[in-house]
Amino acid sequence: MRLLVTGAEGQVGQALLALPVAGAAKGLGRAELDITDRGAIERAIADFAPTVVINAAAYTAVDAAESDEAGAFAVNAAGAGLLAAAAAEAGAGFVHISTDYVFDGRLSRPYVESDATGPLNAYGRSKRAGELAVLDAHPRASVVRTSWVYAATGRNFVRTMVALARTRERVQVVTDQRGAPTYAGDLAVALLGLAQASARDEDPRVLHLAGSGAASWFEVAAAIFETLRARGLKAPVLEGVSAAAWPSPVQRPQNSMLDCRLASETYGLALPDWRDALRRCLQEILDDKKPMPGLL
Ligand SMILES: NC(=O)c1ccc[n+]([C@@H]2O[C@H](COP(=O)([O-])OP(=O)(O)OC[C@H]3O[C@@H](n4cnc5c(N)ncnc54)[C@H](OP(=O)(O)O)[C@@H]3O)[C@@H](O)[C@H]2O)c1
């Protein structure tokens, strides 16, 4: 396999490039390949001649997208479509990452791939448009929806909680949004598995892949603080708050749970339990003493 990864400096891009690949892998960050630039895409594909492209590049600033919907669409819809078309033209496979935010979160069970979409915000609309653009441009593309991604690097909820624990006495976290935290390292393993599986015509084009189990943000924060305390570190008092009471310009789905059985039944791909994954990521953060980000 010759694997080309876009968005190589993001959480999932970095996790993919940290894995051993049978063959060759190349990662291109935004500075080397802007996926809105058709000419740059064509040059990158001609230079490396990938057999598979994984698109980990995206406009992921959910709040900023609300006032910059065109910017989000340029990357998440048009850019993703350009990349998929170029991969198809070159005869390369294509794996694209999408999100639980394509759903409105009003169902009371985990979402299956065939459920109606209905994004609540601009980011979600741009990602749904990207799914359609990719599926239209590449006949064998796989679109993988995931949720609540975090890693030991980057801007994410887990690192924010670890940073807040150092400075705050009390932290408020939302209790009434449920989903599955997904460790970028585990997602990357599954994405690579999917990239290696030669897609047959009858295989599903859209798959859900998220950490196993479900939690509220409050429960995730509680698990983080419990681990910090078990290591003798300071942790704040955790207070629950409803999403409605949380100041945000953006509506988010209440139910972000994705039913991941199709990926397991079709490819044998399933991600570990979210608590186990969280422990591994926290160990990486705390043992490596990764520099903490500014607060989200
Ligand atoms: N994070 C989550 O909670 C979450 C949840 C569900 C699904 N997803 C999806 O998972 C995928 C990976 O997300 P992630 O968490 O790894 O996000 P991330 O850490 O924000 O990484 C995305 C990367 O894409 C880059 N990028 C932005 N615009 C680009 C462009 N025009 N051309 C090339 N690269 C560009 C970003 O660079 P800059 O930093 O320079 O902008 C960043 O390095 C995305 O498709 C995202 O929508 C994420």
Side-chain angles (χ1 to χ4, degrees), residues 10-12 30 33-35 57-58 60 97-99 123 127 146 149:
Q11 302 188 88
V12 177
R30 183 189 197 150
L33 174 58
D34 181 333
I35 65 161
T60 56
I97 310 166
S98 191
T99 170
Y123 166 75
K127 292 295 290 183
T146 190
V149 177

Side-chain angles (χ1 to χ4, degrees), residues 8 10 18 24 26 52 58 63 80 83 122 136 147 149-150 155 160 180 186 213 221 248 254 256 265 270 280 290:
K26 182 173 184 176
V52 185
D63 287 9
L83 197 59
D136 188 48
S147 60
V149 177
Y150 66 92
R155 290 165 66 82
T160 299
D186 291 339
S248 169
Q254 269 209 319
S256 276
E265 286 159 10
R280 284 182 281 123
K290 301 251 188 237

Side-chain angles (χ1 to χ4, degrees), residues 5 13 32 57 70 77 190 234:
V5 177
E32 298 140 321
K234 182 173 162 301

